[in-house]
Amino acid sequence: MKELVDKLSEKHSLSESEYAALIRGRALDITAELAGLAVQTRRAIYGNDVFTRGLIEISSICKNNCLYCGIRKDNHNANRYRLTEDDILSCAAEGYRLGFRTFVLQGGDDPFFTDPVLCGIVYKLKENHSDCAVTLSMGERSRESYKQLFDAGADRYLLRHETADPEHYARLHPKEMSFANRMQCLYDLRDIGYQVGCGFMVGSPFQTPETLAKDLKFIEEFKPDMCGIGPFIPHHDTAFRDMPAGTVEETLYLLSIIRLIHPPVLLPATTALGTIDPNGREKGIQAGANVVMPNLSPVEVRGKYELYDNKICTGEESAQCRQCLDTRMRAIGYRLVVDRGDIKRQTEVNSNV
Ligand code: 5AD
Ligand code: FES
């Protein structure tokens, strides 16, 4: 184990079977060692700064049927809502006052958000807040659509790959969705010029050390600008309701490994991690993460964007979440910064290390 850790930290690369061995060999001592190295690596690039992104959940309407997700089309108990353009712009304006310089628009695959509609919103966001980055997390769209949104001003795109194993992918998604298309989207986004984020759930049903090893190899090769990982948490109205949730321990372990694989990656301590452990986000930062994404959605709709059960921060106002995270980060020796929070490119990294 020790040899694998040393190799990973020096070469930022392991073979797929070595990644699988590292995952199978998770134990307390090795977890602590990886976290120490991950924090050191992150600190050399980003110091003790934690970047924030203001998350605006624009629609819980979805025409897809991902088996794990609480807002899947076939969940007839889901509460559906859609924010108006005015709602979105005023959430962002409030976020700006609170110090956010990146807005993430996330939503289900809602046919209302056609290219002209979404481009109009992106354009206005950039017009109102030219010093901010706009990140979209709106699922699979055509290359042409991604290009139009980029030309309208979108800077970044988050599209979790969910799993880099095609058979595993097929067990998590309905047959209309394809692994090949998901991967193609990520390469198209990169090609168009976006900063791109991939990611996966930790402990998703049917995940194994071997499928995780493929995720890690994919991250090593694709070198995403962002990587979102958080525990799978079952939603009571899905077929996976009785499946076990992912664990804090495994999520933290993987955060540290991902930091070492790709040192400059923007790595959030996710809301899902904060949901399964009251101090999950702090623990995520202490394992090598450097981003938090508090919610800016209007309080009236927050509970309705229910991808999984017991999600935190559904009753708090944006200002409360900002304040809460500020306090939490200070308590562990970090600070939330008012910054777009772009990835530091390798050249900048080298001159900093
Ligand atoms: N538990 C944890 N994460 C989930 N997501 C969707 N459903 C769940 C769940 N039950 C994640 C997926 C998706 C992102 C927006 O949320 O990885 O890409
Ligand atoms: Fe929302 Fe703590 S971050 S209440």
Side-chain angles (χ1 to χ4, degrees), residues 68-70 106 160 162 201 231-235 272 307-308:
Y68 43 82
C69 185
Q106 185 176 91
R160 289 189 176 180
E162 311 296 356
M201 295 176 286
F232 161 72
I233 304 174
H235 185 284
L307 308 186
Y308 47 81

Side-chain angles (χ1 to χ4, degrees), residues 281 294-295 302 312-314 316-318 320-325 328:
R281 288 166 299 175
N295 205 313
R302 283 192 191 197
I312 53 170
C313 297
T314 52
E316 283 77 10
E317 295 284 349
S318 306
Q320 288 174 289
C321 283
R322 172 85 197 186
Q323 184 59 50
C324 168
L325 276 170
R328 284 170 180 265

Side-chain angles (χ1 to χ4, degrees), residues 139-346:
E140 295 181 17
R141 302 174 76 97
S142 68
R143 184 183 170 112
E144 182 49 35
S145 166
Y146 290 149
K147 175 80 172 84
Q148 285 188 31
L149 292 162
F150 185 75
D151 292 340
D155 303 273
R156 311 188 185 125
Y157 206 101
L158 304 176
L159 182 69
R160 289 189 176 180
H161 64 286
E162 311 296 356
T163 169
D165 180 287
E167 282 161 30
H168 185 208
Y169 190 91
R171 299 183 78 178
L172 297 177
H173 297 96
K175 56 180 181 321
E176 311 83 75
M177 288 178 73
S178 96
F179 172 75
N181 191 57
R182 175 67 58 128
M183 288 295 176
Q184 188 58 50
C185 286
L186 287 169
Y187 286 98
D188 285 345
L189 289 161
R190 155 83 42 93
D191 202 40
I192 290 167
Y194 283 94
Q195 294 178 40
V196 183
C198 65
F200 58 89
M201 295 176 286
V202 177
S204 65
F206 320 115
Q207 188 174 66
T208 63
E210 287 68 34
T211 65
L212 279 170
K214 288 188 184 165
D215 291 317
L216 297 177
K217 200 64 188 173
F218 171 64
I219 290 163
E220 181 193 310
E221 289 170 357
F222 186 66
K223 296 197 171 32
D225 301 284
M226 294 86 74
C227 184
I229 70 161
F232 161 72
I233 304 174
H235 185 284
H236 61 278
D237 280 321
T238 64
F240 291 160
R241 66 179 66 82
D242 295 323
M243 296 284 190
T247 66
V248 188
E249 292 76 14
E250 191 168 28
T251 306
L252 299 176
Y253 193 70
L254 285 160
L255 283 170
S256 300
I257 293 174
I258 293 169
R259 171 65 60 203
L260 294 175
I261 291 176
H262 183 29
V265 70
L266 296 163
L267 201 55
T270 56
T271 304
L273 184 56
T275 295
I276 58 165
D277 181 319
N279 293 316
R281 288 166 299 175
E282 290 90 325
K283 290 178 184 173
I285 299 293
Q286 290 170 316
N290 68 327
V291 174
V292 288
M293 299 175 60
N295 205 313
L296 293 180
S297 308
V299 173
E300 311 85 79
V301 303
R302 283 192 191 197
K304 301 183 185 169
Y305 197 77
E306 193 189 55
L307 308 186
Y308 47 81
D309 288 344
N310 305 317
K311 189 173 157 208
I312 53 170
C313 297
T314 52
E316 283 77 10
E317 295 284 349
S318 306
Q320 288 174 289
C321 283
R322 172 85 197 186
Q323 184 59 50
C324 168
L325 276 170
D326 206 61
T327 311
R328 284 170 180 265
M329 293 300 126
R330 275 172 208 271
I332 56 168
Y334 290 79
R335 52 173 206 140
L336 288 189
V337 292
V338 177
D339 192 300
R340 272 174 52 119
D342 288 296
I343 189 169
K344 292 239 171 34
R345 300 285 161 195
Q346 210 62 42

